[in-house]
Tab-separated table of all heavy atoms in Angstrom:
chain	number	residue	atom	x	y	z
A	44	TYR	N	-5.053	33.181	7.747
A	44	TYR	CA	-4.621	31.825	8.000
A	44	TYR	C	-4.481	31.036	6.670
A	44	TYR	O	-3.608	30.275	6.487
A	44	TYR	CB	-5.583	31.119	8.974
A	44	TYR	CG	-5.231	31.466	10.364
A	44	TYR	CD1	-6.236	32.013	11.243
A	44	TYR	CD2	-4.033	31.249	10.984
A	44	TYR	CE1	-5.994	32.361	12.552
A	44	TYR	CE2	-3.779	31.640	12.325
A	44	TYR	CZ	-4.699	32.114	13.092
A	44	TYR	OH	-4.504	32.585	14.354
A	45	PHE	N	-5.511	31.236	5.811
A	45	PHE	CA	-5.461	30.546	4.537
A	45	PHE	C	-4.234	30.962	3.753
A	45	PHE	O	-3.510	30.043	3.135
A	45	PHE	CB	-6.732	30.795	3.756
A	45	PHE	CG	-6.823	30.124	2.449
A	45	PHE	CD1	-7.064	28.828	2.300
A	45	PHE	CD2	-6.618	30.869	1.205
A	45	PHE	CE1	-7.105	28.153	1.118
A	45	PHE	CE2	-6.607	30.198	-0.026
A	45	PHE	CZ	-6.851	28.867	-0.034
A	46	MET	N	-3.926	32.255	3.751
A	46	MET	CA	-2.675	32.656	2.966
A	46	MET	C	-1.388	32.090	3.595
A	46	MET	O	-0.564	31.744	2.833
A	46	MET	CB	-2.704	34.208	2.864
A	46	MET	CG	-3.591	34.752	1.709
A	46	MET	SD	-4.295	36.327	1.912
A	46	MET	CE	-3.067	37.341	2.482
A	47	LEU	N	-1.384	32.051	4.918
A	47	LEU	CA	-0.233	31.531	5.569
A	47	LEU	C	-0.076	30.057	5.172
A	47	LEU	O	1.051	29.548	4.807
A	47	LEU	CB	-0.369	31.700	7.100
A	47	LEU	CG	0.794	31.131	7.936
A	47	LEU	CD1	2.109	31.868	7.615
A	47	LEU	CD2	0.486	31.216	9.447
A	48	SER	N	-1.191	29.325	5.205
A	48	SER	CA	-1.138	27.860	4.886
A	48	SER	C	-0.726	27.659	3.397
A	48	SER	O	-0.075	26.684	3.087
A	48	SER	CB	-2.430	27.195	5.164
A	48	SER	OG	-3.425	27.584	4.352
A	49	LEU	N	-1.121	28.584	2.643
A	49	LEU	CA	-0.774	28.521	1.195
A	49	LEU	C	0.734	28.667	0.978
A	49	LEU	O	1.342	27.930	0.212
A	49	LEU	CB	-1.520	29.701	0.373
A	49	LEU	CG	-1.558	29.549	-1.129
A	49	LEU	CD1	-2.350	28.223	-1.522
A	49	LEU	CD2	-2.218	30.736	-1.795
A	50	ILE	N	1.328	29.586	1.810
A	50	ILE	CA	2.754	29.746	1.754
A	50	ILE	C	3.357	28.370	2.209
A	50	ILE	O	4.401	27.903	1.567
A	50	ILE	CB	3.288	30.892	2.698
A	50	ILE	CG1	2.694	32.202	2.135
A	50	ILE	CG2	4.685	30.929	2.813
A	50	ILE	CD1	2.850	33.399	3.057
A	51	PHE	N	2.860	27.772	3.275
A	51	PHE	CA	3.360	26.505	3.699
A	51	PHE	C	3.344	25.444	2.598
A	51	PHE	O	4.267	24.746	2.355
A	51	PHE	CB	2.477	25.931	4.890
A	51	PHE	CG	2.760	26.634	6.193
A	51	PHE	CD1	1.791	26.447	7.292
A	51	PHE	CD2	3.804	27.372	6.403
A	51	PHE	CE1	1.955	27.111	8.460
A	51	PHE	CE2	4.009	28.110	7.661
A	51	PHE	CZ	3.111	27.888	8.654
A	52	ILE	N	2.223	25.459	1.888
A	52	ILE	CA	2.051	24.476	0.766
A	52	ILE	C	3.092	24.715	-0.270
A	52	ILE	O	3.737	23.769	-0.827
A	52	ILE	CB	0.640	24.488	0.247
A	52	ILE	CG1	-0.286	23.694	1.108
A	52	ILE	CG2	0.563	23.903	-1.201
A	52	ILE	CD1	-0.077	22.192	1.165
A	53	LEU	N	3.309	25.995	-0.644
A	53	LEU	CA	4.306	26.460	-1.757
A	53	LEU	C	5.657	25.910	-1.260
A	53	LEU	O	6.431	25.566	-2.102
A	53	LEU	CB	4.205	27.841	-1.969
A	53	LEU	CG	2.938	28.401	-2.667
A	53	LEU	CD1	2.960	29.821	-2.749
A	53	LEU	CD2	2.817	27.692	-4.055
A	54	ILE	N	5.959	25.975	0.038
A	54	ILE	CA	7.292	25.563	0.538
A	54	ILE	C	7.354	24.080	0.438
A	54	ILE	O	8.361	23.467	0.109
A	54	ILE	CB	7.514	26.045	1.932
A	54	ILE	CG1	7.536	27.576	1.981
A	54	ILE	CG2	8.874	25.479	2.506
A	54	ILE	CD1	7.652	28.161	3.426
A	55	ALA	N	6.315	23.344	0.818
A	55	ALA	CA	6.385	21.860	0.939
A	55	ALA	C	6.315	21.233	-0.429
A	55	ALA	O	6.729	20.067	-0.541
A	55	ALA	CB	5.173	21.377	1.761
A	56	LYS	N	5.762	21.903	-1.468
A	56	LYS	CA	5.600	21.452	-2.821
A	56	LYS	C	5.152	19.927	-2.862
A	56	LYS	O	5.892	19.064	-3.222
A	56	LYS	CB	6.985	21.431	-3.458
A	56	LYS	CG	7.457	22.837	-3.837
A	56	LYS	CD	8.526	22.839	-4.840
A	56	LYS	CE	9.876	23.165	-4.372
A	56	LYS	NZ	10.737	23.352	-3.567
A	57	PRO	N	3.920	19.718	-2.477
A	57	PRO	CA	3.328	18.319	-2.543
A	57	PRO	C	3.084	17.998	-3.919
A	57	PRO	O	2.965	18.834	-4.817
A	57	PRO	CB	2.065	18.353	-1.669
A	57	PRO	CG	1.611	19.817	-1.793
A	57	PRO	CD	2.837	20.590	-1.917
A	58	ASN	N	2.883	16.698	-4.201
A	58	ASN	CA	2.545	16.059	-5.523
A	58	ASN	C	1.125	16.746	-5.891
A	58	ASN	O	0.164	16.492	-5.179
A	58	ASN	CB	2.344	14.550	-5.329
A	58	ASN	CG	1.930	13.961	-6.594
A	58	ASN	OD1	1.065	14.466	-7.348
A	58	ASN	ND2	2.463	12.743	-6.863
A	59	LEU	N	1.133	17.484	-6.943
A	59	LEU	CA	0.016	18.354	-7.298
A	59	LEU	C	-1.299	17.520	-7.513
A	59	LEU	O	-2.353	17.886	-6.977
A	59	LEU	CB	0.282	19.204	-8.476
A	59	LEU	CG	-0.743	20.311	-8.783
A	59	LEU	CD1	-0.682	21.310	-7.628
A	59	LEU	CD2	-0.533	20.987	-10.108
A	60	LYS	N	-1.107	16.471	-8.283
A	60	LYS	CA	-2.296	15.614	-8.572
A	60	LYS	C	-2.970	15.031	-7.362
A	60	LYS	O	-4.202	15.198	-7.139
A	60	LYS	CB	-1.934	14.477	-9.535
A	60	LYS	CG	-3.007	14.027	-10.427
A	60	LYS	CD	-2.498	12.932	-11.362
A	60	LYS	CE	-3.535	11.908	-11.538
A	60	LYS	NZ	-2.959	10.662	-12.024
A	61	VAL	N	-2.181	14.499	-6.468
A	61	VAL	CA	-2.673	13.939	-5.215
A	61	VAL	C	-3.237	15.036	-4.299
A	61	VAL	O	-4.325	14.900	-3.769
A	61	VAL	CB	-1.592	13.137	-4.449
A	61	VAL	CG1	-2.194	12.463	-3.221
A	61	VAL	CG2	-0.914	12.128	-5.357
A	62	PHE	N	-2.535	16.135	-4.329
A	62	PHE	CA	-3.038	17.354	-3.553
A	62	PHE	C	-4.396	17.801	-3.906
A	62	PHE	O	-5.283	17.916	-3.079
A	62	PHE	CB	-1.976	18.380	-3.618
A	62	PHE	CG	-2.313	19.720	-2.977
A	62	PHE	CD1	-2.358	19.738	-1.588
A	62	PHE	CD2	-2.617	20.843	-3.694
A	62	PHE	CE1	-2.695	20.834	-0.883
A	62	PHE	CE2	-2.963	21.972	-3.023
A	62	PHE	CZ	-2.994	22.050	-1.620
A	63	LEU	N	-4.598	17.940	-5.254
A	63	LEU	CA	-5.983	18.411	-5.666
A	63	LEU	C	-6.960	17.372	-5.393
A	63	LEU	O	-8.125	17.671	-5.056
A	63	LEU	CB	-5.831	18.738	-7.169
A	63	LEU	CG	-4.988	19.929	-7.520
A	63	LEU	CD1	-4.870	20.150	-9.006
A	63	LEU	CD2	-5.543	21.181	-6.890
A	64	ASN	N	-6.622	16.068	-5.544
A	64	ASN	CA	-7.517	14.972	-5.312
A	64	ASN	C	-8.030	15.055	-3.884
A	64	ASN	O	-9.259	14.954	-3.604
A	64	ASN	CB	-6.790	13.703	-5.584
A	64	ASN	CG	-7.617	12.507	-5.702
A	64	ASN	OD1	-8.795	12.534	-5.196
A	64	ASN	ND2	-7.111	11.435	-6.294
A	65	ARG	N	-7.027	15.243	-2.926
A	65	ARG	CA	-7.477	15.247	-1.447
A	65	ARG	C	-8.323	16.550	-1.177
A	65	ARG	O	-9.164	16.433	-0.412
A	65	ARG	CB	-6.097	15.419	-0.597
A	65	ARG	CG	-5.256	14.213	-0.702
A	65	ARG	CD	-5.931	12.958	-0.240
A	65	ARG	NE	-5.314	11.753	-0.653
A	65	ARG	CZ	-4.084	11.302	-0.258
A	65	ARG	NH1	-3.447	12.059	0.670
A	65	ARG	NH2	-3.623	10.261	-0.642
A	66	LEU	N	-8.100	17.580	-1.811
A	66	LEU	CA	-8.835	18.800	-1.575
A	66	LEU	C	-10.250	18.588	-2.037
A	66	LEU	O	-11.156	18.948	-1.374
A	66	LEU	CB	-8.254	20.010	-2.324
A	66	LEU	CG	-7.074	20.639	-1.822
A	66	LEU	CD1	-6.742	21.940	-2.526
A	66	LEU	CD2	-7.253	21.027	-0.394
A	67	ALA	N	-10.397	17.935	-3.185
A	67	ALA	CA	-11.788	17.653	-3.643
A	67	ALA	C	-12.538	16.819	-2.719
A	67	ALA	O	-13.726	17.161	-2.389
A	67	ALA	CB	-11.661	16.946	-5.072
A	68	GLY	N	-11.868	15.755	-2.178
A	68	GLY	CA	-12.571	14.948	-1.168
A	68	GLY	C	-12.933	15.687	0.094
A	68	GLY	O	-14.072	15.610	0.500
A	69	ALA	N	-12.066	16.537	0.538
A	69	ALA	CA	-12.303	17.253	1.779
A	69	ALA	C	-13.421	18.298	1.640
A	69	ALA	O	-14.122	18.700	2.578
A	69	ALA	CB	-11.031	17.890	2.384
A	70	ASN	N	-13.464	18.859	0.410
A	70	ASN	CA	-14.437	19.947	0.199
A	70	ASN	C	-15.821	19.448	-0.251
A	70	ASN	O	-16.745	20.224	-0.481
A	70	ASN	CB	-13.939	20.917	-0.922
A	70	ASN	CG	-12.899	21.843	-0.310
A	70	ASN	OD1	-13.230	22.728	0.486
A	70	ASN	ND2	-11.679	21.652	-0.612
A	71	PHE	N	-16.055	18.105	-0.246
A	71	PHE	CA	-17.270	17.630	-0.610
A	71	PHE	C	-18.404	18.003	0.420
A	71	PHE	O	-19.474	18.432	0.036
A	71	PHE	CB	-17.193	16.025	-0.671
A	71	PHE	CG	-18.473	15.377	-1.090
A	71	PHE	CD1	-18.846	15.438	-2.420
A	71	PHE	CD2	-19.219	14.668	-0.167
A	71	PHE	CE1	-20.058	14.824	-2.759
A	71	PHE	CE2	-20.423	14.110	-0.581
A	71	PHE	CZ	-20.873	14.105	-1.908
A	72	PHE	N	-18.039	17.931	1.721
A	72	PHE	CA	-19.036	18.389	2.703
A	72	PHE	C	-19.316	19.829	2.618
A	72	PHE	O	-20.398	20.302	2.854
A	72	PHE	CB	-18.484	17.942	4.111
A	72	PHE	CG	-19.478	18.232	5.259
A	72	PHE	CD1	-20.541	17.466	5.424
A	72	PHE	CD2	-19.267	19.375	6.043
A	72	PHE	CE1	-21.450	17.730	6.452
A	72	PHE	CE2	-20.089	19.581	7.080
A	72	PHE	CZ	-21.194	18.791	7.308
A	73	ILE	N	-18.176	20.646	2.425
A	73	ILE	CA	-18.307	22.099	2.247
A	73	ILE	C	-19.303	22.408	1.159
A	73	ILE	O	-20.055	23.377	1.267
A	73	ILE	CB	-16.857	22.696	1.883
A	73	ILE	CG1	-15.884	22.284	3.004
A	73	ILE	CG2	-17.006	24.142	1.715
A	73	ILE	CD1	-16.129	22.927	4.319
A	74	LEU	N	-19.342	21.594	0.103
A	74	LEU	CA	-20.228	21.865	-0.970
A	74	LEU	C	-21.697	21.868	-0.503
A	74	LEU	O	-22.443	22.734	-0.948
A	74	LEU	CB	-20.023	20.751	-2.091
A	74	LEU	CG	-20.648	20.957	-3.502
A	74	LEU	CD1	-19.998	22.157	-4.155
A	74	LEU	CD2	-20.591	19.739	-4.235
A	75	PHE	N	-22.040	20.929	0.381
A	75	PHE	CA	-23.321	20.833	0.979
A	75	PHE	C	-23.651	22.183	1.668
A	75	PHE	O	-24.796	22.638	1.521
A	75	PHE	CB	-23.408	19.702	1.991
A	75	PHE	CG	-23.875	18.447	1.415
A	75	PHE	CD1	-22.900	17.478	0.878
A	75	PHE	CD2	-25.152	18.101	1.376
A	75	PHE	CE1	-23.335	16.288	0.370
A	75	PHE	CE2	-25.549	16.839	0.889
A	75	PHE	CZ	-24.622	16.021	0.365
A	76	ILE	N	-22.708	22.703	2.330
A	76	ILE	CA	-22.886	23.880	3.142
A	76	ILE	C	-23.259	25.033	2.173
A	76	ILE	O	-24.135	25.820	2.382
A	76	ILE	CB	-21.706	24.235	4.022
A	76	ILE	CG1	-21.648	23.137	5.119
A	76	ILE	CG2	-21.856	25.596	4.687
A	76	ILE	CD1	-20.438	23.226	5.998
A	77	TRP	N	-22.547	25.084	1.116
A	77	TRP	CA	-22.775	26.208	0.068
A	77	TRP	C	-24.147	26.043	-0.524
A	77	TRP	O	-24.793	26.944	-0.879
A	77	TRP	CB	-21.684	26.077	-1.090
A	77	TRP	CG	-20.458	26.842	-0.728
A	77	TRP	CD1	-19.313	26.249	-0.150
A	77	TRP	CD2	-20.186	28.210	-0.730
A	77	TRP	NE1	-18.395	27.179	0.037
A	77	TRP	CE2	-18.909	28.418	-0.273
A	77	TRP	CE3	-20.954	29.305	-1.126
A	77	TRP	CZ2	-18.333	29.643	-0.228
A	77	TRP	CZ3	-20.373	30.559	-1.077
A	77	TRP	CH2	-19.051	30.810	-0.644
A	78	ILE	N	-24.621	24.793	-0.645
A	78	ILE	CA	-25.951	24.631	-1.270
A	78	ILE	C	-27.035	25.005	-0.240
A	78	ILE	O	-28.028	25.684	-0.564
A	78	ILE	CB	-26.138	23.084	-1.685
A	78	ILE	CG1	-25.207	22.779	-2.833
A	78	ILE	CG2	-27.545	22.833	-2.143
A	78	ILE	CD1	-25.032	21.375	-3.215
A	79	PHE	N	-26.911	24.525	1.012
A	79	PHE	CA	-27.953	24.759	1.963
A	79	PHE	C	-27.969	26.079	2.752
A	79	PHE	O	-29.028	26.660	2.901
A	79	PHE	CB	-28.010	23.526	2.941
A	79	PHE	CG	-28.523	22.298	2.405
A	79	PHE	CD1	-27.650	21.180	2.159
A	79	PHE	CD2	-29.898	22.168	2.037
A	79	PHE	CE1	-28.124	20.064	1.647
A	79	PHE	CE2	-30.296	20.965	1.547
A	79	PHE	CZ	-29.510	19.955	1.315
A	80	ILE	N	-26.834	26.445	3.267
A	80	ILE	CA	-26.787	27.545	4.201
A	80	ILE	C	-27.294	28.832	3.593
A	80	ILE	O	-28.112	29.545	4.243
A	80	ILE	CB	-25.350	27.638	4.864
A	80	ILE	CG1	-25.134	26.436	5.772
A	80	ILE	CG2	-25.211	28.919	5.583
A	80	ILE	CD1	-26.030	26.376	6.912
A	81	PRO	N	-26.770	29.328	2.471
A	81	PRO	CA	-27.304	30.636	1.916
A	81	PRO	C	-28.797	30.652	1.779
A	81	PRO	O	-29.411	31.757	1.750
A	81	PRO	CB	-26.511	30.819	0.600
A	81	PRO	CG	-25.376	29.969	0.765
A	81	PRO	CD	-25.763	28.832	1.561
A	82	LEU	N	-29.415	29.469	1.600
A	82	LEU	CA	-30.860	29.446	1.362
A	82	LEU	C	-31.607	29.405	2.654
A	82	LEU	O	-32.725	29.833	2.734
A	82	LEU	CB	-31.163	28.120	0.426
A	82	LEU	CG	-30.743	28.170	-0.963
A	82	LEU	CD1	-31.000	26.880	-1.631
A	82	LEU	CD2	-31.486	29.346	-1.688
A	83	SER	N	-31.026	28.748	3.644
A	83	SER	CA	-31.836	28.596	4.946
A	83	SER	C	-31.422	29.487	6.087
A	83	SER	O	-32.022	29.479	7.111
A	83	SER	CB	-31.593	27.083	5.342
A	83	SER	OG	-30.325	26.817	5.654
A	84	TYR	N	-30.296	30.240	5.881
A	84	TYR	CA	-29.793	31.095	7.025
A	84	TYR	C	-30.802	32.213	7.179
A	84	TYR	O	-31.232	32.951	6.227
A	84	TYR	CB	-28.431	31.752	6.558
A	84	TYR	CG	-27.534	32.020	7.626
A	84	TYR	CD1	-26.741	31.030	8.285
A	84	TYR	CD2	-27.481	33.274	8.221
A	84	TYR	CE1	-25.852	31.264	9.231
A	84	TYR	CE2	-26.515	33.539	9.264
A	84	TYR	CZ	-25.808	32.504	9.744
A	84	TYR	OH	-24.838	32.812	10.781
A	85	LYS	N	-31.237	32.384	8.465
A	85	LYS	CA	-32.361	33.388	8.696
A	85	LYS	C	-31.709	34.792	9.050
A	85	LYS	O	-31.523	35.065	10.174
A	85	LYS	CB	-33.287	32.797	9.712
A	85	LYS	CG	-34.042	31.665	9.223
A	85	LYS	CD	-35.176	31.220	10.152
A	85	LYS	CE	-35.830	30.063	9.369
A	85	LYS	NZ	-34.893	29.086	8.816
Side-chain angles (χ1 to χ4, degrees):
Chain A
Y44 279 122
F45 179 75
M46 276 154 44
L47 180 62
S48 70
L49 196 63
I50 296 171
F51 287 164
I52 282 292
L53 291 175
I54 297 172
K56 289 195 255 15
N58 178 324
L59 190 68
K60 206 177 142 199
V61 184
F62 176 65
L63 292 176
N64 193 342
R65 296 295 162 74
L66 281 190
N70 281 291
F71 183 72
F72 184 75
I73 301 293
L74 192 69
F75 268 89
I76 292 176
W77 277 98
I78 295 170
F79 285 111
I80 291 298
L82 290 173
S83 62
Y84 212 84
K85 291 191 178 43

